[in-house]
């Protein structure tokens, strides 16, 4: 089976935000979709390892900020390559506002946001599916949305093969981190973005 076939599915990219008590946090997700019009419902999928998953489970509400083609790599690094358990992602971040539900939504590099309240959760192994009713939605710009393909081709830095390397080089397909060695351990975790060995490829 070639799991790379799944990369051919057309994904968007989003900043998912929530909070519990007084702490806001957010992460990058690639699964957010409208599932019905009447009533207006959306579905998102979050990796259980993400701190934002904990916040959504506690608060039962979230915002989805839809990333546009104006988004730069910094926003992916900020929300995707560090954990909200370790740092406050909004402490020195000023490109956001609060929606009516009191949650942050990102205003830079985004074209819309959606607020929602969780009505149902579905355990899906490594991820949880959250089905939620939409409580607010606003358009922020007319710039096209960022797809996963656009991110790969135009935003994510291209990895460079070390010129003097005699060994095998493995590159994280998510963030570009390089690991040198003939064999990449099966339990290896990227030190930058925390993705597993399955997200590395030889160059």
């Amino acid at each position: 089976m070639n799991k790379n076939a799944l990369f051919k599915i057309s994904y968007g990219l989003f900043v998912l935000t929530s909070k519990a008590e007084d702490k806001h946090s957010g992460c990058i997700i690639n699964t957010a979709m409208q599932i019905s019009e009447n009533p207006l419902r959306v579905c998102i999928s979050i990796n259980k390892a993400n701190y934002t998953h904990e916040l959504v489970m506690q608060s039962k509400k979230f915002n989805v900020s839809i990333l546009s083609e104006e988004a730069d790599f910094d926003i992916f690094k900020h929300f995707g390559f560090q954990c909200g358990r370790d740092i406050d992602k909004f402490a020195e971040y000023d490109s956001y506002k609060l929606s009516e539900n009191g949650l942050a939504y990102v205003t830079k590099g985004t074209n819309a946001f959606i607020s929602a309240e969780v009505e149902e959760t579905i355990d899906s192994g490594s991820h949880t599916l959250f089905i939620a009713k939409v409580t607010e939605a606003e358009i922020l710009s007319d710039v096209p949305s960022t797809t996963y393909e656009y991110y790969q081709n135009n935003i994510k830095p291209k990895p460079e093969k070390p010129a003097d390397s005699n060994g095998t080089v493995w590159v994280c397909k998510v963030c570009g981190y390089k690991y040198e060695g003939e064999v990449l351990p099966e339990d290896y975790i990227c030190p930058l973005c925390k993705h597993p060995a399955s997200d590395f490829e030889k160059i």
Side-chain angles (χ1 to χ4, degrees):
M1 178 170 62
N2 187 347
K3 292 183 179 179
N4 287 337
L6 277 72
F7 291 131
K8 299 300 184 182
I9 296 174
S10 178
Y11 293 101
L13 287 166
F14 316 91
V15 178
L16 174 75
T17 49
S18 189
K19 79 169 186 176
E21 299 176 353
D22 292 326
K23 185 170 183 181
H24 292 268
S25 194
C27 66
I28 301 291
I29 63 170
N30 66 359
T31 306
M33 67 193 77
Q34 180 181 338
I35 58 172
S36 65
E37 182 178 2
N38 186 19
L40 189 55
R41 298 289 186 268
V42 293
C43 178
I44 62 170
S45 177
I46 316 175
N47 191 310
K48 293 176 183 176
N50 286 346
Y51 177 63
T52 310
H53 179 276
E54 296 178 21
L55 301 186
V56 176
M57 289 293 283
Q58 291 177 42
S59 68
K60 303 300 182 186
K61 59 183 181 179
F62 60 82
N63 284 350
V64 174
S65 300
I66 303 170
L67 290 164
S68 77
E69 292 181 359
E70 287 185 340
D72 57 24
F73 191 58
D74 285 343
I75 194 170
F76 291 92
K77 290 193 295 184
H78 186 80
F79 288 103
F81 299 166
Q82 51 190 355
C83 182
R85 294 186 189 91
D86 303 324
I87 67 155
D88 184 343
K89 294 185 182 182
F90 286 93
E92 298 180 3
Y93 188 81
D94 58 7
S95 297
Y96 76 95
K97 293 181 180 178
L98 299 182
S99 55
E100 293 176 0
N101 62 8
L103 302 183
Y105 66 92
V106 177
T107 57
K108 181 180 179 182
T110 58
N111 59 21
F113 79 89
I114 298 166
S115 301
E117 294 180 358
V118 175
E119 294 186 320
E120 183 179 354
T121 62
I122 300 172
D123 189 315
S124 186
S126 61
H127 289 62
T128 300
L129 299 180
F130 294 87
I131 297 174
K133 67 177 180 180
V134 175
T135 58
E136 185 181 3
E138 297 294 339
I139 294 175
L140 305 177
S141 84
D142 294 327
V143 179
S145 299
T146 293
T147 63
Y148 188 74
E149 182 178 16
Y150 184 89
Y151 166 76
Q152 292 288 334
N153 294 334
N154 299 282
I155 299 175
K156 187 179 83 168
K158 299 294 186 289
E160 296 180 6
K161 184 175 181 179
D164 299 327
S165 176
N166 294 322
T168 301
V169 178
W170 302 78
V171 176
C172 177
K173 295 183 287 187
V174 177
C175 70
Y177 178 81
K178 301 177 188 69
Y179 174 92
E180 293 193 38
E182 282 299 317
V183 178
L184 181 70
E186 291 184 4
D187 60 351
Y188 187 76
I189 300 295
C190 179
L192 286 185
C193 67
K194 312 306 179 187
H195 280 245
S198 59
D199 285 326
F200 279 72
E201 64 182 356
K202 288 184 181 180
I203 61 169

